[in-house]
Amino acid sequence: MFLKHISLLNYKNFSEATFELDAKINCFVGKNGIGKTNLLDAVYHLANGKSYFNPLSLQNIKHGAEFFVIDGTFEKNGRTEQILCSIKKGQKKVLKRNGKVYEKLSDHIGHIPLVIISPADRDLIIEGSETRRKFIDSVICQLDSTYLQQLIQYQKIISQRNALLKYFALNHVFEKDTLSIYDEQLQGLGQQIFEKRKQFLADFIPIFNQYHQKITESAETVQMVYQSDLFEKDLVTLLGENIAKDRALQYTSVGVHKDDLSFEIDHYPIKKFGSQGQQKSFLIALKLAQFDFVKQQSGEKPILLFDDIFDKLDEFRVGKIIAMVNSAAFGQLFISDTHPERTENIVKTTHQTYKIFTL
């Protein structure tokens, strides 16, 4: 599977642009702020129906314009697939596949498998648990549409339960029986989400460890640890034990919506004890493992986007990554970089077909 052609109209800093792409490697080079990352984000947008960097769709419209359109033509299993994503101010976003509008944007998730590696991924290390949960969920959702619906339903019930807790506080009342109705619903959904996350990480972490050892030649020992309240007790019990706390906070303080992943180097938080190079190696291994996992589960090679990957990595680690990507296991690759010569020298070593676009 690969992207053959992409057109942008009023998307971020692009008024109008069209690119005919190579089936293997595509490099976008130019100065900072010229739009290289925006172009990669447009590819991500076609695959996921949203931006990787700014989920507020209206903010992706070019300043002074009323709408944007991204139009892409993919080759998938010998067939042509046209994906079009557009939004106009005051209207809902529209996502079309071969001219047919999706009723729900979530129905598109997983159809175009794609993995992006970007400096913005550092948020996975430095931000709170929600960012890491979203990473887990985004990978599972590409492969399991039922899981996506379970997440949506779970979050809906959490919102209703939180609204009820606020109502209790505001009106100085408490109805335990009403609250227990939500607790029972959360129990089933929460357990299913927990089991799927647990199974995913059991399969995913060994793949991650393999990639990390390849990138660093086993010079560093890292860990990824799943943390969930549900390892200790079932959700109904936890909710019951935390009623007083939840009433005081006016929101639900326990459950799978509080799950986290601990990223560690030599059993210490990589956020505090890892250098920038070590953190970047960790994140690249994480994303290459995502690529491998999705490929194994779906039977398709995801499109791989490298946004400014060579920043803060020494030549040894870059060489290791490119050697891995050069194998037949990988499909179409997009690279953005500020140094045209560096980019061309690196892609030449792959002996693959490539195109370089200077922006």
Side-chain angles (χ1 to χ4, degrees):
M1 184 195 68
F2 63 95
L3 178 60
K4 297 164 66 174
H5 166 101
I6 188 169
S7 294
L8 313 178
L9 189 60
N10 298 330
Y11 185 70
K12 297 193 175 184
N13 69 317
F14 288 95
S15 296
E16 190 170 359
T18 298
F19 300 89
E20 301 295 332
L21 302 164
D22 188 87
K24 193 64 185 177
I25 301 177
N26 297 276
C27 306
F28 301 104
V29 298
K31 295 177 181 177
N32 285 325
I34 205 77
K36 303 182 300 296
T37 296
N38 293 345
L39 195 45
L40 295 191
D41 199 24
V43 179
Y44 183 92
H45 219 124
L46 289 175
N48 292 279
K50 62 181 179 181
S51 163
Y52 185 68
F53 300 99
N54 189 347
L56 297 173
S57 295
L58 289 174
Q59 292 182 7
N60 294 307
I61 299 173
K62 190 178 191 308
H63 292 308
E66 292 296 310
F67 66 93
F68 77 67
V69 180
I70 312 169
D71 190 354
T73 305
F74 294 83
E75 183 84 18
K76 182 177 180 181
N77 299 327
R79 297 193 308 272
T80 296
E81 293 263 356
Q82 186 189 21
I83 308 295
L84 186 143
C85 185
S86 65
I87 190 166
K88 188 173 183 179
K89 289 179 180 178
Q91 297 182 16
K92 284 179 65 177
K93 183 189 290 181
V94 174
L95 188 63
K96 294 181 184 178
R97 176 182 166 198
N98 298 326
K100 187 177 180 182
V101 178
Y102 280 101
E103 289 185 19
K104 293 188 295 183
L105 296 181
S106 59
D107 290 343
H108 182 60
I109 302 301
H111 182 64
I112 306 290
L114 178 147
V115 174
I116 184 169
I117 302 176
S118 161
D121 296 334
R122 191 161 179 265
D123 286 353
L124 286 163
I125 289 175
I126 64 172
E127 294 293 335
S129 60
E130 182 181 1
T131 310
R132 292 178 287 278
R133 279 195 306 278
K134 281 183 177 177
F135 170 75
I136 299 172
D137 293 340
S138 69
V139 182
I140 303 174
C141 286
Q142 281 196 42
L143 304 159
D144 186 344
S145 58
T146 304
Y147 179 79
L148 177 57
Q149 296 310 314
Q150 288 167 339
L151 276 180
I152 291 168
Q153 187 62 20
Y154 178 90
Q155 199 54 54
K156 184 179 175 182
I157 297 167
I158 286 288
S159 297
Q160 291 170 340
R161 189 180 193 270
N162 290 349
L164 187 63
L165 289 165
K166 286 183 174 64
Y167 172 83
F168 289 160
L170 194 64
N171 293 278
H172 307 288
V173 296
F174 179 63
E175 299 167 11
K176 188 176 181 180
D177 290 346
T178 310
L179 203 63
S180 67
I181 294 169
Y182 292 117
D183 293 359
E184 290 294 337
Q185 291 176 314
L186 289 172
Q187 163 69 19
L189 286 165
Q191 190 65 35
Q192 289 172 312
I193 291 166
F194 170 67
E195 294 296 341
K196 286 184 179 179
R197 285 177 179 170
K198 190 166 63 169
Q199 184 59 57
F200 160 67
L201 289 164
D203 297 334
F204 181 82
I205 289 172
I207 302 170
F208 161 77
N209 285 332
Q210 287 174 8
Y211 273 107
H212 192 270
Q213 286 167 9
K214 285 179 186 176
I215 293 169
T216 63
E217 287 202 332
S218 304
E220 299 153 11
T221 304
V222 293
Q223 298 81 32
M224 193 186 306
V225 183
Y226 179 32
Q227 299 173 335
S228 177
D229 297 326
L230 271 70
F231 278 114
E232 303 300 323
K233 296 173 182 175
D234 68 79
L235 188 49
V236 163
T237 302
L238 287 164
L239 291 167
E241 289 177 352
N242 285 273
I243 282 179
K245 182 181 178 183
D246 289 358
R247 288 179 67 186
L249 294 170
Q250 297 176 40
Y251 65 80
T252 308
S253 62
V254 290
V256 293
H257 59 294
K258 297 293 182 181
D259 285 0
D260 200 357
L261 267 182
S262 178
F263 293 160
E264 301 170 1
I265 184 163
D266 294 323
H267 300 286
Y268 291 96
I270 199 166
K271 176 180 177 178
K272 292 182 181 177
F273 295 92
S275 68
Q276 283 192 326
Q278 288 171 328
Q279 290 181 4
K280 192 144 191 175
S281 294
F282 188 102
L283 291 168
I284 290 169
L286 187 76
K287 291 303 192 80
L288 291 177
Q290 177 188 353
F291 175 95
D292 213 320
F293 182 83
V294 172
K295 188 186 75 168
Q296 286 180 24
Q297 298 293 320
S298 69
E300 299 229 33
K301 296 174 185 175
I303 293 169
L304 187 57
L305 311 181
F306 277 137
D307 180 28
D308 197 19
I309 183 165
F310 308 123
D311 183 43
K312 297 186 182 69
L313 277 184
D314 55 46
E315 286 187 19
F316 169 76
R317 293 185 197 227
V318 170
K320 283 282 177 188
I321 293 159
I322 293 301
M324 281 187 276
V325 172
N326 193 27
S327 72
F330 286 83
Q332 191 179 30
L333 183 65
F334 289 79
I335 297 171
S336 73
D337 193 18
T338 51
H339 298 84
E341 301 83 7
R342 173 173 66 183
T343 306
E344 186 148 26
N345 289 338
I346 288 167
V347 297
K348 275 181 178 175
T349 66
T350 67
H351 306 294
Q352 305 277 4
T353 59
Y354 67 90
K355 282 187 177 181
I356 293 184
F357 302 90
T358 302
L359 302 181

